[in-house]
Amino acid sequence: MRRRYALWTVLFLLTAYLIAPSGIVKAADDKPLIFDEANLLSPEERDELNAMANEYGAERETDFMILTVNSVPNDDYETWTENFYDEYAPGYNRRHGNTAILTILMSTSDGTRRVHLEGYYKAEKYLDSGRLLKIQNKITPDLSSGNYKQAFEKYIKTAHRYMGFEPDVNPDNIIFNLWFQLGTAAAIGAIAVGIMAYRSGGRVTVNSRTYEDASTSGILDQQDRYIRTTVTKRKIERNTSSGSGGGGGGGVTGGGHSHSSSSGKF
C-alpha cells in the first residue's frame, strides 16, 4: 500500500514539474504591449494588463497597446505616438500591422494631462475616430480619478467589443444590449401568451345590434362645432459638442501609415 502511495506521489510531482514550465513559456510568449514609462502601474498590474491585451488582441487580430509617458517634446503627443508606431512597428502578425494605441501624457506646458488614441489598418477601419472618442469618454473618469488599471482594462475590453461590430454601426445602440434583448423577448412572449389565453376563452357573438330594432332606432340630432386651430413654431437646437473637450479625425505618420485618432484632457 505504501509503495502504491509513493508511486502516485512521484507521478504527481513529475506531472506538476512538467506542467509548470509550459505555463512559464506561455507567459514568456506574450509580446510586450504595455510601455509604462510614467510608472502608473505596479509590476503585477503591468503583467496582468499585458496578458489581457495579448488575449483580447488575438481574438481581433490586433495589437492593443498602452503607452504612458511623463512628457514629450513640444507637448506633441500625436507626433510622438506616430513616431512610436513608425519606429517600433507593432502589428498583430506583421510589422506595421493592425494596431490600436492608447497614449497617456502626464504633464504638458499648460499643466494638463492628455489622453490620445490611434487606430491603424484594421483598427483604423473598426475603431474609427468616432468610436475612439466613445472609448476616450468611457475611460476619462477613471483616468481623472487615478484609477489607471481600471481605465486601461476598460480601454482593452471596449476596443475589443467595438471591433466586433461592422463599421458605421453604433456599438452602443440599446438594441445590442443583452438585457434589452432579453427584456424584448420576454415582452413578446408575454404578449403571445396573453393573446392565446384570450382566444382560448371563446368568442363573444352578442353585440350592440343583437337586440336592436332598426325600425324604431335612429339619430335624433347631430351637431358639429369648430372652435379654432393653433400653430406654434419652435426652433430646434443642434448639439455641436464633441464630449470631454476632445477632438479627433486621424492623420498619416511620417512613414506613411494612415490612422484614426481621438484626444482630450483628463
Side-chain angles (χ1 to χ4, degrees):
M1 187 67 179
R2 290 184 176 180
R3 289 182 178 179
R4 181 176 298 178
Y5 178 82
L7 178 60
W8 280 112
T9 302
V10 171
L11 290 175
F12 173 81
L13 294 175
L14 180 60
T15 302
Y17 174 80
L18 293 174
I19 291 176
S22 64
I24 296 173
V25 170
K26 184 177 180 180
D29 285 344
D30 284 347
K31 64 175 69 175
L33 298 174
I34 314 298
F35 295 82
D36 184 27
E37 293 185 13
N39 293 317
L40 304 182
L41 304 167
S42 68
E44 294 77 14
E45 290 174 334
R46 281 196 295 270
D47 291 341
E48 290 177 14
L49 286 169
N50 198 72
M52 175 186 290
N54 275 271
E55 177 185 353
Y56 280 73
E59 295 180 7
R60 298 297 185 226
E61 298 185 344
T62 300
D63 280 352
F64 295 134
M65 306 193 71
I66 298 173
L67 315 177
T68 75
V69 62
N70 287 315
S71 62
V72 297
N74 301 318
D75 296 339
D76 192 352
Y77 47 85
E78 182 168 1
T79 299
W80 184 85
T81 305
E82 291 173 347
N83 290 340
F84 175 89
Y85 183 84
D86 283 340
E87 296 170 9
Y88 189 76
Y92 173 72
N93 56 1
R94 66 180 179 89
R95 289 174 57 83
H96 293 125
N98 307 329
T99 307
I101 301 177
L102 167 63
T103 298
I104 300 297
L105 176 62
M106 295 302 295
S107 177
T108 61
S109 57
D110 61 3
T112 61
R113 300 173 298 180
R114 302 300 180 101
V115 52
H116 179 69
L117 297 102
E118 293 183 356
Y120 291 85
Y121 292 95
K122 183 180 180 180
E124 181 183 17
K125 178 180 179 181
Y126 286 88
L127 296 177
D128 59 19
S129 297
R131 289 186 177 182
L132 290 181
L133 178 59
K134 286 178 174 289
I135 297 174
Q136 174 193 319
N137 290 337
K138 289 178 183 294
I139 68 176
T140 294
D142 286 320
L143 293 174
S144 300
S145 301
N147 300 322
Y148 298 113
K149 182 175 184 290
Q150 184 173 335
F152 297 158
E153 286 179 344
K154 192 174 295 184
Y155 149 71
I156 295 171
K157 292 179 179 180
T158 307
H160 171 271
R161 188 173 74 85
Y162 281 4
M163 291 190 72
F165 295 90
E166 288 299 316
D168 301 322
V169 171
N170 180 8
D172 290 333
N173 193 311
I174 192 173
I175 65 174
F176 299 125
N177 183 281
L178 176 61
W179 291 110
F180 175 81
Q181 294 173 350
L182 292 175
T184 302
I188 293 174
I191 293 172
V193 171
I195 293 174
M196 289 188 292
Y198 174 76
R199 290 183 174 179
S200 65
R203 291 189 175 183
V204 178
T205 58
V206 178
N207 54 44
S208 61
R209 296 181 179 275
T210 301
Y211 303 104
E212 179 183 340
D213 186 351
S215 63
T216 60
S217 301
I219 298 175
L220 299 178
D221 191 12
Q222 179 173 323
Q223 184 180 43
D224 293 329
R225 179 177 297 173
Y226 172 78
I227 300 178
R228 63 180 176 275
T229 301
T230 303
V231 178
T232 303
K233 294 184 179 181
R234 181 171 62 89
K235 180 180 180 181
I236 300 176
E237 299 294 338
R238 295 183 180 272
N239 182 9
T240 57
S241 173
S242 60
S244 295
V252 180
T253 71
H257 302 283
S258 174
H259 64 83
S260 56
S261 70
S262 178
S263 58
K265 303 176 183 178
F266 70 92

